[in-house]
Short mmCIF file of all heavy atoms in Angstrom, two decimals:
data_model
loop_
_atom_site.label_atom_id
_atom_site.label_comp_id
_atom_site.label_asym_id
_atom_site.label_seq_id
_atom_site.Cartn_x
_atom_site.Cartn_y
_atom_site.Cartn_z
N MET T 1 0.80 -1.16 0.06
CA MET T 1 -0.01 0.02 0.04
C MET T 1 0.83 1.30 -0.03
O MET T 1 1.87 1.36 0.73
CB MET T 1 -0.86 -0.01 1.17
CG MET T 1 -1.89 1.25 1.26
SD MET T 1 -2.74 1.20 2.81
CE MET T 1 -3.87 -0.13 2.64
N LYS T 2 0.61 2.20 -0.91
CA LYS T 2 1.25 3.44 -1.01
C LYS T 2 0.96 4.44 0.10
O LYS T 2 -0.23 4.42 0.44
CB LYS T 2 1.23 4.09 -2.26
CG LYS T 2 1.92 3.38 -3.39
CD LYS T 2 1.71 4.14 -4.62
CE LYS T 2 2.45 3.49 -5.74
NZ LYS T 2 2.38 4.30 -6.97
N ARG T 3 1.82 5.19 0.66
CA ARG T 3 1.61 6.26 1.59
C ARG T 3 1.55 7.43 0.86
O ARG T 3 2.42 7.87 -0.06
CB ARG T 3 2.61 6.24 2.72
CG ARG T 3 2.57 4.98 3.60
CD ARG T 3 3.63 4.93 4.62
NE ARG T 3 3.50 5.99 5.47
CZ ARG T 3 4.29 6.28 6.54
NH1 ARG T 3 5.44 5.67 6.61
NH2 ARG T 3 4.00 7.19 7.38
N CYS T 4 0.68 8.40 1.28
CA CYS T 4 0.60 9.68 0.53
C CYS T 4 1.84 10.53 1.03
O CYS T 4 2.34 10.33 2.02
CB CYS T 4 -0.69 10.36 0.70
SG CYS T 4 -1.04 11.08 2.28
N LYS T 5 2.05 11.61 0.28
CA LYS T 5 3.18 12.52 0.56
C LYS T 5 2.94 13.16 1.99
O LYS T 5 4.01 13.26 2.78
CB LYS T 5 3.22 13.63 -0.43
CG LYS T 5 4.40 14.60 -0.19
CD LYS T 5 4.41 15.76 -1.26
CE LYS T 5 5.42 16.69 -1.01
NZ LYS T 5 5.39 17.91 -1.93
N GLN T 6 1.68 13.53 2.32
CA GLN T 6 1.55 14.18 3.69
C GLN T 6 1.81 13.19 4.83
O GLN T 6 2.45 13.57 5.80
CB GLN T 6 0.01 14.53 3.74
CG GLN T 6 -0.28 15.32 5.03
CD GLN T 6 -1.64 15.87 5.12
OE1 GLN T 6 -2.54 15.35 4.50
NE2 GLN T 6 -1.90 16.71 6.02
N ASP T 7 1.50 11.88 4.61
CA ASP T 7 1.91 10.84 5.64
C ASP T 7 3.35 10.86 5.88
O ASP T 7 3.82 10.75 6.99
CB ASP T 7 1.30 9.59 5.27
CG ASP T 7 -0.23 9.48 5.46
OD1 ASP T 7 -0.76 10.25 6.06
OD2 ASP T 7 -0.71 8.51 4.78
N LYS T 8 4.08 10.80 4.78
CA LYS T 8 5.55 10.75 4.85
C LYS T 8 6.06 11.97 5.55
O LYS T 8 7.00 11.85 6.42
CB LYS T 8 6.16 10.59 3.47
CG LYS T 8 5.93 9.30 2.85
CD LYS T 8 6.58 9.29 1.52
CE LYS T 8 6.20 7.90 0.70
NZ LYS T 8 6.65 7.97 -0.64
N GLU T 9 5.59 13.13 5.28
CA GLU T 9 6.03 14.37 5.96
C GLU T 9 5.66 14.41 7.52
O GLU T 9 6.55 14.86 8.23
CB GLU T 9 5.30 15.66 5.23
CG GLU T 9 5.83 15.87 3.91
CD GLU T 9 5.15 16.92 3.15
OE1 GLU T 9 3.95 17.44 3.67
OE2 GLU T 9 5.42 17.30 2.01
N LEU T 10 4.51 14.00 7.72
CA LEU T 10 4.17 13.85 9.19
C LEU T 10 4.97 12.80 9.98
O LEU T 10 5.21 12.96 11.12
CB LEU T 10 2.63 13.49 9.25
CG LEU T 10 1.71 14.64 8.86
CD1 LEU T 10 0.33 14.19 8.92
CD2 LEU T 10 1.91 15.97 9.69
N ALA T 11 5.40 11.82 9.23
CA ALA T 11 6.17 10.72 9.93
C ALA T 11 7.50 11.21 10.36
O ALA T 11 8.08 10.72 11.31
CB ALA T 11 6.28 9.57 8.91
N ASN T 12 7.98 12.37 9.72
CA ASN T 12 9.33 12.74 10.13
C ASN T 12 9.37 14.00 11.01
O ASN T 12 10.32 14.72 11.11
CB ASN T 12 10.05 13.17 8.80
CG ASN T 12 10.35 11.92 7.92
OD1 ASN T 12 10.65 10.94 8.55
ND2 ASN T 12 10.32 12.09 6.64
N THR T 13 8.14 14.22 11.67
CA THR T 13 8.06 15.33 12.63
C THR T 13 7.99 14.88 14.03
O THR T 13 7.53 13.67 14.28
CB THR T 13 6.81 16.20 12.28
OG1 THR T 13 5.62 15.37 12.50
CG2 THR T 13 6.82 16.80 10.84
N SER T 14 8.49 15.74 14.93
CA SER T 14 8.33 15.34 16.40
C SER T 14 7.28 16.03 17.02
O SER T 14 6.85 17.11 16.60
CB SER T 14 9.73 15.62 17.08
OG SER T 14 9.95 16.97 17.01
N PRO T 15 6.59 15.58 17.97
CA PRO T 15 5.53 16.20 18.64
C PRO T 15 5.95 17.49 19.32
O PRO T 15 7.11 17.55 19.84
CB PRO T 15 5.05 15.30 19.61
CG PRO T 15 6.14 14.23 19.85
CD PRO T 15 6.92 14.30 18.60
N GLN T 16 5.13 18.53 19.12
CA GLN T 16 5.50 19.84 19.76
C GLN T 16 4.98 19.88 21.11
O GLN T 16 3.83 19.39 21.40
CB GLN T 16 4.86 20.98 18.82
CG GLN T 16 5.44 21.04 17.41
CD GLN T 16 6.93 21.26 17.49
OE1 GLN T 16 7.35 22.17 18.14
NE2 GLN T 16 7.64 20.54 16.72
N PRO T 17 5.53 20.59 22.04
CA PRO T 17 5.02 20.64 23.39
C PRO T 17 3.84 21.57 23.35
O PRO T 17 3.66 22.48 22.51
CB PRO T 17 6.25 21.29 24.18
CG PRO T 17 7.02 22.05 23.07
CD PRO T 17 6.86 21.24 21.85
N PHE T 18 2.99 21.42 24.43
CA PHE T 18 1.79 22.26 24.52
C PHE T 18 2.24 23.60 24.85
O PHE T 18 3.21 23.81 25.65
CB PHE T 18 0.91 21.70 25.54
CG PHE T 18 0.19 20.33 25.18
CD1 PHE T 18 0.62 19.14 25.70
CD2 PHE T 18 -0.89 20.36 24.34
CE1 PHE T 18 -0.10 17.95 25.32
CE2 PHE T 18 -1.50 19.19 23.90
CZ PHE T 18 -1.06 17.98 24.43
N PRO T 19 1.56 24.63 24.39
CA PRO T 19 1.95 25.98 24.76
C PRO T 19 1.52 26.23 26.18
O PRO T 19 0.72 25.60 26.74
CB PRO T 19 1.01 26.86 23.82
CG PRO T 19 -0.15 26.00 23.35
CD PRO T 19 0.51 24.57 23.47
N SER T 20 2.33 27.11 26.79
CA SER T 20 2.17 27.39 28.24
C SER T 20 0.78 28.12 28.37
O SER T 20 0.33 28.87 27.51
CB SER T 20 3.22 28.46 28.59
OG SER T 20 2.87 28.84 29.87
N ASN T 21 0.17 27.95 29.58
CA ASN T 21 -1.02 28.54 29.85
C ASN T 21 -0.74 30.06 30.35
O ASN T 21 -1.62 30.87 30.52
CB ASN T 21 -1.79 27.78 30.90
CG ASN T 21 -2.32 26.55 30.41
OD1 ASN T 21 -2.77 26.50 29.28
ND2 ASN T 21 -2.51 25.64 31.27
N GLU T 22 0.48 30.30 30.61
CA GLU T 22 0.90 31.68 31.12
C GLU T 22 1.05 32.64 29.76
O GLU T 22 1.63 32.18 28.77
CB GLU T 22 2.17 31.66 31.84
CG GLU T 22 2.27 30.77 33.01
CD GLU T 22 1.12 31.42 34.10
OE1 GLU T 22 1.08 32.65 34.23
OE2 GLU T 22 0.41 30.66 34.66
N PRO T 23 0.66 33.85 29.89
CA PRO T 23 0.69 34.78 28.84
C PRO T 23 2.11 35.21 28.61
O PRO T 23 2.87 35.28 29.63
CB PRO T 23 -0.18 35.92 29.10
CG PRO T 23 -0.53 35.77 30.55
CD PRO T 23 -0.31 34.33 30.94
N ASN T 24 2.59 35.44 27.35
CA ASN T 24 3.94 35.87 27.07
C ASN T 24 4.00 37.49 27.39
O ASN T 24 2.97 38.09 27.57
CB ASN T 24 4.25 35.51 25.63
CG ASN T 24 3.43 36.21 24.65
OD1 ASN T 24 2.96 37.36 24.85
ND2 ASN T 24 3.26 35.63 23.54
N PRO T 25 5.15 37.94 27.37
CA PRO T 25 5.36 39.37 27.70
C PRO T 25 4.53 40.39 26.80
O PRO T 25 4.00 41.29 27.32
CB PRO T 25 6.86 39.76 27.60
CG PRO T 25 7.45 38.31 27.73
CD PRO T 25 6.46 37.36 27.17
N GLU T 26 4.40 40.00 25.49
CA GLU T 26 3.75 40.87 24.62
C GLU T 26 2.22 40.95 24.97
O GLU T 26 1.57 41.94 24.98
CB GLU T 26 3.85 40.47 23.09
CG GLU T 26 5.26 40.64 22.58
CD GLU T 26 6.21 39.55 22.97
OE1 GLU T 26 5.83 38.51 23.48
OE2 GLU T 26 7.42 39.79 22.80
N THR T 27 1.63 39.76 25.34
CA THR T 27 0.26 39.66 25.62
C THR T 27 0.05 40.40 26.99
O THR T 27 -0.92 41.19 27.10
CB THR T 27 -0.08 38.16 25.95
OG1 THR T 27 0.03 37.51 24.71
CG2 THR T 27 -1.58 38.09 26.35
N LEU T 28 0.97 40.23 27.96
CA LEU T 28 0.76 41.01 29.14
C LEU T 28 0.78 42.56 29.04
O LEU T 28 0.00 43.26 29.60
CB LEU T 28 1.85 40.68 30.16
CG LEU T 28 1.86 39.18 30.73
CD1 LEU T 28 3.11 38.86 31.61
CD2 LEU T 28 0.50 39.05 31.43
N GLU T 29 1.68 43.00 28.08
CA GLU T 29 1.67 44.43 27.83
C GLU T 29 0.43 44.93 27.07
O GLU T 29 -0.14 45.97 27.39
CB GLU T 29 2.90 44.68 26.90
CG GLU T 29 3.03 46.18 26.49
CD GLU T 29 3.15 47.21 27.60
OE1 GLU T 29 3.69 46.73 28.69
OE2 GLU T 29 2.90 48.30 27.51
N ALA T 30 -0.17 43.98 26.17
CA ALA T 30 -1.34 44.49 25.59
C ALA T 30 -2.50 44.42 26.59
O ALA T 30 -3.35 45.45 26.49
CB ALA T 30 -1.69 43.42 24.43
N ILE T 31 -2.50 43.55 27.51
CA ILE T 31 -3.55 43.58 28.47
C ILE T 31 -3.41 44.78 29.37
O ILE T 31 -4.54 45.56 29.65
CB ILE T 31 -3.40 42.37 29.46
CG1 ILE T 31 -3.78 41.05 28.66
CG2 ILE T 31 -4.28 42.43 30.72
CD1 ILE T 31 -3.54 39.82 29.39
N ARG T 32 -2.24 45.31 29.73
CA ARG T 32 -2.09 46.40 30.50
C ARG T 32 -2.53 47.61 29.77
O ARG T 32 -3.09 48.52 30.33
CB ARG T 32 -0.55 46.65 30.97
CG ARG T 32 -0.12 45.75 32.13
CD ARG T 32 1.24 46.05 32.67
NE ARG T 32 2.32 45.66 31.74
CZ ARG T 32 2.95 44.57 31.63
NH1 ARG T 32 2.52 43.50 32.45
NH2 ARG T 32 3.90 44.28 30.71
N GLU T 33 -2.19 47.75 28.37
CA GLU T 33 -2.65 48.89 27.62
C GLU T 33 -4.13 48.94 27.61
O GLU T 33 -4.66 49.95 27.61
CB GLU T 33 -1.98 48.77 26.16
CG GLU T 33 -0.56 49.06 26.18
CD GLU T 33 -0.06 48.83 24.80
OE1 GLU T 33 -0.73 48.64 23.74
OE2 GLU T 33 1.29 48.97 24.60
N GLY T 34 -4.72 47.83 27.34
CA GLY T 34 -6.20 47.77 27.30
C GLY T 34 -6.85 48.20 28.62
O GLY T 34 -7.82 48.90 28.59
N ASP T 35 -6.34 47.73 29.73
CA ASP T 35 -6.84 48.02 31.06
C ASP T 35 -6.73 49.51 31.27
O ASP T 35 -7.64 50.18 31.81
CB ASP T 35 -6.03 47.21 32.14
CG ASP T 35 -6.55 45.76 32.12
OD1 ASP T 35 -7.50 45.43 31.51
OD2 ASP T 35 -5.78 45.02 32.77
N SER T 36 -5.59 50.12 30.89
CA SER T 36 -5.37 51.55 31.13
C SER T 36 -6.23 52.40 30.26
O SER T 36 -6.78 53.42 30.68
CB SER T 36 -3.85 51.99 31.01
OG SER T 36 -3.39 51.89 29.70
N PHE T 37 -6.54 51.94 29.02
CA PHE T 37 -7.41 52.67 28.09
C PHE T 37 -8.84 52.59 28.74
O PHE T 37 -9.54 53.59 28.78
CB PHE T 37 -7.49 52.05 26.73
CG PHE T 37 -8.49 52.66 25.83
CD1 PHE T 37 -8.35 53.86 25.38
CD2 PHE T 37 -9.72 51.90 25.53
CE1 PHE T 37 -9.36 54.49 24.58
CE2 PHE T 37 -10.69 52.53 24.84
CZ PHE T 37 -10.62 53.69 24.37
N LEU T 38 -9.27 51.41 29.19
CA LEU T 38 -10.64 51.32 29.70
C LEU T 38 -10.76 52.06 31.00
O LEU T 38 -11.84 52.64 31.28
CB LEU T 38 -10.89 49.84 29.89
CG LEU T 38 -11.10 48.97 28.70
CD1 LEU T 38 -11.37 47.47 29.06
CD2 LEU T 38 -12.28 49.44 27.83
N ALA T 39 -9.69 52.24 31.61
CA ALA T 39 -9.80 52.94 32.94
C ALA T 39 -10.04 54.50 32.74
O ALA T 39 -10.51 55.16 33.75
CB ALA T 39 -8.56 52.73 33.81
N THR T 40 -9.57 55.01 31.61
CA THR T 40 -9.80 56.42 31.34
C THR T 40 -11.25 56.64 31.11
O THR T 40 -11.71 57.95 31.32
CB THR T 40 -9.05 56.84 29.99
OG1 THR T 40 -9.58 56.17 28.94
CG2 THR T 40 -7.59 56.58 30.14
N GLY T 41 -12.13 55.71 30.77
CA GLY T 41 -13.54 56.00 30.50
C GLY T 41 -13.87 56.56 29.06
O GLY T 41 -14.96 56.96 28.88
N GLU T 42 -12.79 56.89 28.22
CA GLU T 42 -13.00 57.51 27.05
C GLU T 42 -13.59 56.52 25.99
O GLU T 42 -13.40 55.35 26.21
CB GLU T 42 -11.68 58.09 26.43
CG GLU T 42 -10.97 59.25 27.23
CD GLU T 42 -9.67 59.55 26.76
OE1 GLU T 42 -9.46 59.25 25.55
OE2 GLU T 42 -8.89 60.19 27.53
N SER T 43 -14.39 57.05 25.06
CA SER T 43 -14.88 56.15 24.11
C SER T 43 -13.70 55.92 23.07
O SER T 43 -12.78 56.61 22.94
CB SER T 43 -16.09 56.79 23.36
OG SER T 43 -15.71 57.92 22.74
N GLY T 44 -13.87 54.78 22.33
CA GLY T 44 -12.88 54.43 21.30
C GLY T 44 -13.15 55.18 19.96
O GLY T 44 -14.04 56.04 19.90
N ARG T 45 -12.56 54.76 18.98
CA ARG T 45 -12.76 55.36 17.74
C ARG T 45 -14.06 55.00 17.11
O ARG T 45 -14.67 55.87 16.39
CB ARG T 45 -11.67 54.81 16.77
CG ARG T 45 -11.66 55.36 15.39
CD ARG T 45 -10.43 54.96 14.51
NE ARG T 45 -10.62 55.48 13.19
CZ ARG T 45 -9.79 54.99 12.19
NH1 ARG T 45 -8.96 54.09 12.38
NH2 ARG T 45 -10.06 55.47 11.02
N PHE T 46 -14.67 53.94 17.43
CA PHE T 46 -16.01 53.53 16.92
C PHE T 46 -16.92 53.30 18.07
O PHE T 46 -16.54 52.77 19.11
CB PHE T 46 -15.78 52.16 16.07
CG PHE T 46 -14.89 52.38 14.90
CD1 PHE T 46 -13.66 51.71 14.94
CD2 PHE T 46 -15.24 53.00 13.74
CE1 PHE T 46 -12.67 51.81 14.02
CE2 PHE T 46 -14.31 53.10 12.74
CZ PHE T 46 -13.12 52.57 12.74
N ASP T 47 -18.03 53.74 17.96
CA ASP T 47 -19.09 53.74 19.01
C ASP T 47 -19.67 52.33 19.12
O ASP T 47 -20.18 51.82 20.22
CB ASP T 47 -20.14 54.77 18.85
CG ASP T 47 -19.61 56.07 19.08
OD1 ASP T 47 -18.74 56.24 19.93
OD2 ASP T 47 -20.14 57.02 18.56
N ASN T 48 -19.70 51.62 18.00
CA ASN T 48 -20.43 50.19 18.02
C ASN T 48 -19.74 49.35 16.83
O ASN T 48 -18.95 49.81 16.13
CB ASN T 48 -21.81 50.29 17.87
CG ASN T 48 -22.19 51.07 16.65
OD1 ASN T 48 -21.82 50.79 15.47
ND2 ASN T 48 -23.02 52.21 16.78
N GLY T 49 -20.08 48.19 16.97
CA GLY T 49 -19.64 47.19 15.86
C GLY T 49 -20.03 47.52 14.55
O GLY T 49 -19.24 47.33 13.49
N ALA T 50 -21.24 48.06 14.31
CA ALA T 50 -21.77 48.47 12.99
C ALA T 50 -20.78 49.48 12.32
O ALA T 50 -20.56 49.44 11.23
CB ALA T 50 -23.17 48.86 13.10
N ASP T 51 -20.39 50.51 13.22
CA ASP T 51 -19.52 51.55 12.68
C ASP T 51 -18.16 51.04 12.30
O ASP T 51 -17.57 51.51 11.35
CB ASP T 51 -19.39 52.69 13.77
CG ASP T 51 -20.70 53.47 13.99
OD1 ASP T 51 -21.59 53.47 13.12
OD2 ASP T 51 -20.63 54.10 14.98
N LEU T 52 -17.69 50.01 13.03
CA LEU T 52 -16.42 49.39 12.70
C LEU T 52 -16.55 48.65 11.40
O LEU T 52 -15.57 48.75 10.55
CB LEU T 52 -16.07 48.47 13.89
CG LEU T 52 -14.80 47.66 13.68
CD1 LEU T 52 -13.54 48.50 13.48
CD2 LEU T 52 -14.47 46.78 14.67
N ILE T 53 -17.52 47.87 11.22
CA ILE T 53 -17.69 47.17 9.98
C ILE T 53 -17.88 48.03 8.84
O ILE T 53 -17.27 47.86 7.74
CB ILE T 53 -18.86 46.12 10.16
CG1 ILE T 53 -18.50 45.01 11.16
CG2 ILE T 53 -19.32 45.47 8.74
CD1 ILE T 53 -19.67 44.09 11.51
N ASP T 54 -18.61 49.15 9.04
CA ASP T 54 -18.87 50.10 7.97
C ASP T 54 -17.51 50.72 7.37
O ASP T 54 -17.28 50.80 6.31
CB ASP T 54 -19.93 51.11 8.27
CG ASP T 54 -20.31 52.03 7.24
OD1 ASP T 54 -20.57 51.49 6.08
OD2 ASP T 54 -20.33 53.30 7.44
N ALA T 55 -16.74 51.04 8.37
CA ALA T 55 -15.48 51.75 8.07
C ALA T 55 -14.50 50.68 7.41
O ALA T 55 -13.79 51.07 6.52
CB ALA T 55 -14.71 52.24 9.39
N ALA T 56 -14.57 49.43 7.79
CA ALA T 56 -13.73 48.34 7.28
C ALA T 56 -14.11 48.15 5.82
O ALA T 56 -13.29 48.00 4.93
CB ALA T 56 -13.86 47.09 7.98
N LEU T 57 -15.40 48.21 5.52
CA LEU T 57 -15.95 47.97 4.15
C LEU T 57 -15.58 49.13 3.26
O LEU T 57 -15.38 48.91 2.04
CB LEU T 57 -17.47 47.81 4.14
CG LEU T 57 -17.94 46.47 4.79
CD1 LEU T 57 -19.42 46.38 4.88
CD2 LEU T 57 -17.35 45.17 4.08
N LYS T 58 -15.42 50.37 3.76
CA LYS T 58 -15.13 51.58 3.00
C LYS T 58 -13.70 51.74 2.79
O LYS T 58 -13.18 52.54 2.01
CB LYS T 58 -15.70 52.66 3.61
CG LYS T 58 -17.17 52.77 3.48
CD LYS T 58 -17.77 53.99 4.26
CE LYS T 58 -19.22 53.93 4.22
NZ LYS T 58 -19.91 55.18 4.95
N ALA T 59 -12.79 51.05 3.62
CA ALA T 59 -11.30 51.22 3.54
C ALA T 59 -10.83 50.63 2.33
O ALA T 59 -11.29 49.59 1.77
CB ALA T 59 -10.75 50.53 4.80
N PRO T 60 -9.77 51.34 1.63
CA PRO T 60 -9.12 50.77 0.45
C PRO T 60 -8.42 49.48 0.80
O PRO T 60 -7.91 49.28 1.87
CB PRO T 60 -8.17 51.97 0.08
CG PRO T 60 -7.86 52.67 1.30
CD PRO T 60 -9.16 52.56 2.21
N GLU T 61 -8.40 48.65 -0.30
CA GLU T 61 -7.64 47.43 -0.12
C GLU T 61 -6.11 47.58 -0.21
O GLU T 61 -5.72 48.47 -0.94
CB GLU T 61 -8.04 46.39 -1.20
CG GLU T 61 -9.48 45.88 -1.04
CD GLU T 61 -9.83 44.78 -2.03
OE1 GLU T 61 -8.96 44.05 -2.48
OE2 GLU T 61 -10.97 44.67 -2.38
N VAL T 62 -5.48 46.82 0.50
CA VAL T 62 -3.97 47.06 0.49
C VAL T 62 -3.35 45.78 -0.21
O VAL T 62 -3.85 44.73 -0.32
CB VAL T 62 -3.37 47.11 1.92
CG1 VAL T 62 -3.71 48.55 2.39
CG2 VAL T 62 -3.84 46.08 2.86
#
């Protein structure tokens, strides 16, 4: 029986360790930034999800 190419590729890989449940430094910084923004009580650039989607649909493609 022949093995497909994907099976051969997977046979030569080693299992990867599970990711840590602890956030990395970049995630912790993003959390701190979000918390400090929310603490100001200021509104964001968009008042609701509909405004955000509308702006995204009007944005030029890159």
Side-chain angles (χ1 to χ4, degrees):
M1 180 186 292
K2 289 186 175 181
R3 294 175 70 186
C4 74
K5 181 181 176 186
Q6 185 179 16
D7 286 343
K8 290 179 185 176
E9 290 171 355
L10 291 174
N12 293 325
T13 61
S14 60
Q16 299 296 314
F18 289 106
S20 170
N21 287 333
E22 297 297 318
N24 62 31
E26 292 82 11
T27 301
L28 291 172
E29 179 62 25
I31 292 169
R32 283 191 289 273
E33 288 175 8
D35 287 346
S36 70
F37 172 77
L38 292 174
T40 66
E42 295 178 22
S43 63
R45 181 172 173 193
F46 303 102
D47 291 330
N48 55 55
D51 291 345
L52 173 63
I53 292 169
D54 187 45
L57 292 172
K58 292 178 182 176
E61 291 187 30
V62 288

